[in-house]
Amino acid sequence: MKFLAEINVMPLKEILDPQGKAVTGGMKNLGLTEISNVRIGKHITLEITAETEAIAREKVEEACKKLLANLIMESYTFELQAL
């Protein structure tokens, strides 16, 4: 079976996010003062071929932990759907 994983990787709340700070400042400069505390992360999509959804979930977890997210500074969430 084929599955599509939609992965979101974000900096931990305790970690300074320089990109987010810069965008927050830019929002204020554009007059968008209602917008604050911008956080910038990554959105990753990938296809997985696996026998079951459980195996596909394990593979996505492994990819996130080993390559896609730096667990010291980032957290991740993902959704999986069958194709």
Side-chain angles (χ1 to χ4, degrees):
M1 295 180 67
K2 282 198 172 235
F3 298 90
L4 176 68
E6 301 257 353
I7 305 163
N8 289 307
V9 180
M10 294 295 294
L12 296 173
K13 291 178 182 170
E14 302 82 17
I15 302 291
L16 177 67
D17 179 6
Q19 281 184 300
K21 284 247 184 240
V23 171
T24 299
M27 295 291 181
K28 292 188 187 331
N29 292 339
L30 292 172
L32 300 169
T33 57
E34 305 83 6
I35 298 173
S36 63
N37 298 321
V38 176
R39 307 280 297 165
I40 305 289
K42 300 178 275 190
H43 181 79
I44 303 160
T45 61
L46 50 88
E47 289 184 14
I48 305 116
T49 302
E51 291 183 23
T52 66
E53 183 176 336
I55 293 171
R57 284 189 178 283
E58 287 176 17
K59 293 299 178 185
V60 173
E61 287 280 351
E62 184 177 359
C64 288
K65 289 177 181 173
K66 289 185 175 180
L67 180 64
L68 301 177
N70 177 347
L71 298 180
I72 295 170
M73 300 172 38
E74 299 171 316
S75 64
Y76 66 90
T77 59
F78 68 89
E79 293 183 14
L80 193 64
Q81 65 183 28
L83 293 178

